[in-house]
Amino acid sequence: MPTTGPDDEARTLPAGTTPDALRTPCLLLDEARVRANVDRMRGHLTRLGVAFRPHLKTAKSLDVARIAMTTPAGPAMVSTLREAEYFAGGGVRDMIYGVGIAPTKLARVSAIRAAGVDLAIILDSLEQADAVAAHARGGGDALPVLIEVDADGHRSGVAPTDTATLLAIGRRLTAGGATVRGVLLHAGDSYALTDPAALAAAAEAERAAAVTAADALRAAGLPCPVVSVGSTPTARYARDLAGITEVRAGVFMFGDLYQAGVGSVAVEDIALSVLATVIGHQRARGRIITDAGWMAMSRDRGTAKQAVDQGYGVVCDLSGRPYRDLIVADANQEHGIVALRPGSGAALPELPVGSRVRILPNHACATGAQHDCYHVLDGGGRVGAVWPRIRGW
Ligand SMILES: Cc1ncc(COP(=O)(O)O)c(C=O)c1O
C-alpha cells in the first residue's frame, strides 16, 4: 500500500467540498473572519500612526501571511528560523526573528540574510552581544539587532532604566560591526489581564518603557531607528503610541478562547476551529465522545486560569454557532469528552454518532501546530481552498 502524506486527502479535495465530507479531526479556517480581524487591527494601528508587523507564528502559512502583511515582502515577525526560511522562500524580505538569539544559530541567520532577506535578531545580554559581535567581525555580516527590553517582568529583556547595560550592549555590537536596529518589547504579562483600563495601562507601560530605552540609546549617540512593541492585548488596547515605530501582534488574526477571556477578541470573531465527528456517548453521565482529543486540540488549557474555564474548547454546530454551555470537558489522546459546563441548565444537544461539530480552541497557536493544513471556508460554508502550514524549528 503506498504511503500517503498527512494532507494528501486535502490536496485532492473536489471543489466545493462541504465540511461534512472531510476526514476528521482537521482544521477549518474562516477566511472572511481572518480578513476582518486583520483589517480591524490594521485600521486601529493606522489611526495610531504606527506600522504593523504581523507575527506569523500563529498561522505559519504563506497564504495567511499574505493577508496579514502590508506588502508581499513584509514586514513580518517569526518565532523560528524554520519560519524565516519558509517565508523567505515565499518572497518575504523584512523579518525579525523574535526569540533571543543563540550563538549556534548565527550562521543560519546569516545564510538567510545572504539570500537577500533583511532578517534581524533580538538579544538582551552582553554574552549574546559578544557572540553577535564576534560573528559580525568574523563573517562580515553587519547583523541588525534589536535589543530586547523588559516591559513587565514577563520573561526577558533589559530593564528600561538599566542604561548601563543597554549602552554596553549597543557599544559592543557596534564595535564588532553589527548594527543596532533598535529596541523591542513584548508585554506578555498583559495576557493575565481582563479589565480594559488595566489593558490600556499595560499598553501605555509597554510604550513608555520602549521610549525610555530608545531615548537612552539615542542620547548616547547610538542608533535606534526601530521602536517595536506588541502583543495582541496591548495592540488592541493601545490608545497612544507616540514614540513607537511599529506594533507586532499575531494571535488576533485567528483569535481564540484565551484571547476572548482577556477581552482582546470576540468569540464571534474566532476564525479557527477543529472539525470533529461524534463517535459515541455516555448518556448516563451526560457525555458525548468525539474523535478530537488533545492530539487535535493540543494540551493547552490556558483558560483554566481564567474566570471562564473552557475545558479543551467550546463546541459549535457546523455553522460555527456555539451550543449553549457545551465544552470539551476532558480529552484523551484521540477522544474528546464533551459535556455541559458544571451547573448548566442547558439541555445536551442530540448529536448522534457520525454528527459533525466544530470546536473553538483555547490557544490558536497550539491547536494549529497539531495540524498540517487549513481547510479554508468560503462565504458559503464550503471548503474553497486548502492552505499548507509548516512546523519545526
Ligand atoms: C516577541 C513577541 N512579539 C509579539 C508577539 C505577538 O503576540 P500575540 O501572540 O499576543 O499576538 C509574541 C507572541 O508570543 C512575541 O513573543
Side-chain angles (χ1 to χ4, degrees), residues 226-278:
V226 175
V227 184
S228 180
V229 297
S231 68
T232 284
T234 51
R236 160 76 178 73
Y237 283 92
R239 297 285 168 263
D240 170 20
L241 287 170
I244 302 302
T245 63
E246 64 173 36
V247 169
R248 311 174 317 276
V251 73
F252 78 95
M253 287 175 215
F254 292 175
D256 57 30
L257 295 169
Y258 189 87
Q259 291 300 327
V262 171
S264 33
V265 304
V267 171
E268 310 74 68
D269 295 331
I270 297 176
L272 188 73
S273 59
V274 171
L275 182 70
T277 302
V278 173

Side-chain angles (χ1 to χ4, degrees), residues 76 133 284 356:
R356 294 281 164 108

Side-chain angles (χ1 to χ4, degrees), residues 55 57 77 98 155 186 191 230-233 248-251:
H55 203 318
K57 75 184 187 120
M77 176 94 170
R155 63 179 175 214
H186 169 62
Y191 298 118
S231 68
T232 284
R248 311 174 317 276
V251 73

Side-chain angles (χ1 to χ4, degrees), residues 147-197:
I147 304 173
E148 190 173 5
V149 174
D150 186 10
D152 54 11
H154 181 60
R155 63 179 175 214
S156 44
V158 180
T161 49
D162 184 357
T163 309
T165 305
L166 279 172
L167 298 189
I169 290 175
R171 286 180 181 136
R172 287 194 200 185
L173 288 170
T174 309
T179 310
V180 178
R181 178 64 63 83
V183 292
L184 177 142
L185 295 84
H186 169 62
D189 268 15
S190 64
Y191 298 118
L193 305 173
T194 53
D195 170 35

Side-chain angles (χ1 to χ4, degrees), residues 311-355:
Y312 284 84
V314 163
V315 183
C316 304
D317 65 18
L318 262 189
S319 74
R321 193 173 321 108
Y323 290 106
R324 195 176 138 213
D325 284 341
L326 200 64
I327 60 171
V328 183
D330 202 354
N332 299 159
Q333 184 164 342
E334 301 296 351
H335 296 73
I337 297 154
V338 171
L340 295 169
R341 289 179 201 290
S344 168
L348 201 66
E350 234 350 278
L351 288 169
V353 167
S355 310

